[in-house]
Amino acid sequence: AASCIPTAMAPVQKKAPVKGKGPASKKKQGHKFVIDCTTAETDSVLETSQFEKFLKEKIKVDGKAGNLGETVAVSRDKSKIVVTAEGLFSKRYLKYLSKKFLKKQQMRDFLRIVSTNKSTYELKYYNIQENDDDAGDE
């Protein structure tokens, strides 16, 4: 049985490190999302400080609302709200909370939240064309 064990092993070649794996990427991947409230704030329709406060209270971390800790940070830059999260965080969840805030402020009928790129949402007005013909139909 002793003769079956090889005495010298073949040299093991080290593979090139795969991107995203190994000790180089120990830091958790961070997500940065921006909600642009410029149009709503310039018309004095929406107060971004209230929106920021709402997000800080309502964002759930580990199943608890308002439990941001160090994993999620909500900050305001003029009329933009920046949400920075470590680990998993859904952009869609921000849209859900934004809609909830607009509904609470009774602005849901006038403003909508639209994705402008991969990490940005923007509050825009609905495009409403008023026609005199069908104004009485509603």
Side-chain angles (χ1 to χ4, degrees):
S3 63
C4 292
I5 299 172
T7 54
M9 290 179 61
V12 178
Q13 291 180 341
K14 289 196 174 187
K15 294 178 183 174
V18 180
K19 189 174 183 183
K21 302 223 183 213
S25 62
K26 280 280 187 194
K27 196 182 91 172
K28 282 189 176 179
Q29 185 181 4
H31 296 284
K32 182 179 177 184
F33 300 109
V34 178
I35 302 173
D36 190 357
C37 308
T38 309
T39 52
E41 184 150 66
T42 53
D43 294 343
S44 303
V45 176
L46 189 83
E47 195 65 46
T48 51
S49 58
Q50 289 179 332
F51 191 20
E52 179 190 22
K53 183 177 176 240
F54 176 84
L55 287 176
K56 283 182 178 176
E57 291 171 358
K58 297 289 180 177
I59 289 177
K60 285 186 177 182
V61 177
D62 297 330
K64 292 186 179 182
N67 179 31
L68 298 182
E70 293 179 11
T71 55
V72 179
V74 180
S75 59
R76 187 167 34 118
D77 179 34
K78 294 177 186 167
S79 58
K80 292 182 180 182
I81 293 178
V82 180
V83 178
T84 312
E86 292 178 12
L88 294 173
F89 195 82
S90 171
K91 181 180 167 193
R92 189 81 180 88
Y93 182 52
L94 272 184
K95 184 171 185 175
Y96 161 76
L97 287 174
S98 301
K99 285 178 165 184
K100 199 170 180 175
F101 176 75
L102 290 174
K103 183 72 176 169
K104 185 179 174 188
Q105 299 294 316
Q106 296 172 341
M107 297 303 302
R108 187 81 175 84
D109 298 333
F110 310 107
L111 290 169
R112 65 189 194 137
I113 184 154
V114 181
S115 176
T116 52
N117 65 35
K118 194 175 179 187
S119 64
T120 307
Y121 277 121
E122 188 175 339
L123 289 176
K124 292 187 176 183
Y125 288 105
Y126 283 108
N127 294 331
I128 302 171
Q129 283 87 29
E130 298 227 3
N131 297 336
D132 295 332
D133 301 341
D134 52 86
D137 295 343
E138 297 179 73

